Every structure is written in C-alpha cells, then in structure tokens.
Amino acid sequence: MQKRKSAEDRKAEIVAAVLRLADEIGPDRLTTNDVARAVGLSQPAIFRHFATKADLWIAVAERITEKLDAAWRAAMGSNGDPQSRLRALVQAQLQQIAAMPALPLILFSRELNIDNPQLRGAFHALLMRYQGYLVQVLSDWQAEGGLRRDLTPEDAATFLTSLVQGLALRWGLGARSMALVDEGMRLLDRQLAMFEADGH
C-alpha cells in the first residue's frame, strides 16, 4: 500500500507543479484545475492545502525566494575579490533562471502582480535584495580602485540587472536555443570591461 503523502510534501508537490505549468502554459493562464490534474488531485483538494489561488501564488513566491536567497548567499560567501563575487552573483541568477524557466514570467506577470498586492510586494523586495547585493559588491570593487569613479555602484547594478533580464527575455523568446549561462557570462565579461577604471 502506497504511503499517503504528508500535507507538507503535498504542498511542495503542488508548488513544484505550479512552477512547471507556469512555464508550459503561462502564469496568467494557469488555473487550479490545471494544477489539480498535474498532481492527480481534485480541485477542492488543492483548496484544502491553499485556501485561495492567491495563497498558492504566495507559496510559490516563498519557494522562489528560498531558492534565490540560497544561491545569492552562496555567491556572496564565495572567496575572492569583488569582481569574482560579482561574477558569482550574476552566474547564480542565470543558473536559477535556467533551472526555473518560468521565473521571469512569474516575476513580471502584470496580471499576477495587479491581482495579488502581497505577491507584488514579495517580488519587489526580492529584486531589491538582489540589487542590494550587487551594489554592495560593486562598492567594494570601487573602493579597491577597480570600478571607474564616474559610475555609481547603483547605476552599475542597474546595468547588470538589465543585462540579466534582457538576456532571460531573449532566451525565452528564442525557444531557449542558446546556452543561457554561457552567453550571460560572456556578455558580463564585456560589461565589466566597460566598468573597469583606467589601468585595470
């Protein structure tokens, strides 16, 4: 006899299904019926675990936050100079997008963010945290004389987040035909070369 899954295991299975289906169907078209079919439950059973669809999306946001935070902390804790940590941060973000292809779609879903202010707040805080990590490392790099003085760490961080977001969009529209991480790191090296102070 198959062992019945715990409530926590079932919730994790449902959240994983949402992440997969958001990529296949699109987050704004995804219904709880789609999720129920994917995990072999009835729609009422989904609502026994998550009171509302909004609650389900909050759980998805928490899972995304957990995975991204872990990746960013590992990058920030890596040994090496600021430029190495900067590369580790961008690589970590690209790797998470490659592992969760629905991530950009969910983060920038207009419908989800309008319908669910709590979700919008969670994702805004998440993106600001990443921006903060970038600014911190860029400030360290500038303090060491490596980052040009006429470029603020805040502006440089915005350039880097735009690079990642733009590349993720191009990757998605191009049927993921390119190696996202490899292409991202290649372009990052070009970008960092433009950031470097003279003589470095």
Side-chain angles (χ1 to χ4, degrees), residues 23 68 87 90-105 160-189:
D23 178 42
L68 290 178
R87 294 184 89 259
V90 173
Q91 185 172 33
Q93 186 72 348
L94 291 167
Q95 287 170 335
Q96 288 302 309
I97 293 169
M100 290 187 289
L103 184 57
L105 298 173
L160 294 180
T161 53
S162 298
L163 170 68
V164 171
Q165 290 166 9
L167 190 60
L169 180 62
R170 184 158 66 89
W171 179 66
L173 292 174
R176 299 169 196 159
S177 56
M178 66 176 168
L180 176 65
V181 178
D182 291 345
E183 179 67 359
M185 298 310 288
R186 183 187 73 81
L187 292 174
L188 174 65
D189 286 339

Side-chain angles (χ1 to χ4, degrees), residues 38-60:
V39 295
L41 294 174
S42 65
Q43 189 184 37
I46 298 291
F47 289 116
R48 281 199 293 273
H49 293 286
F50 300 98
T52 66
K53 190 177 180 183
D55 289 337
L56 174 55
W57 279 111
I58 292 300
V60 171

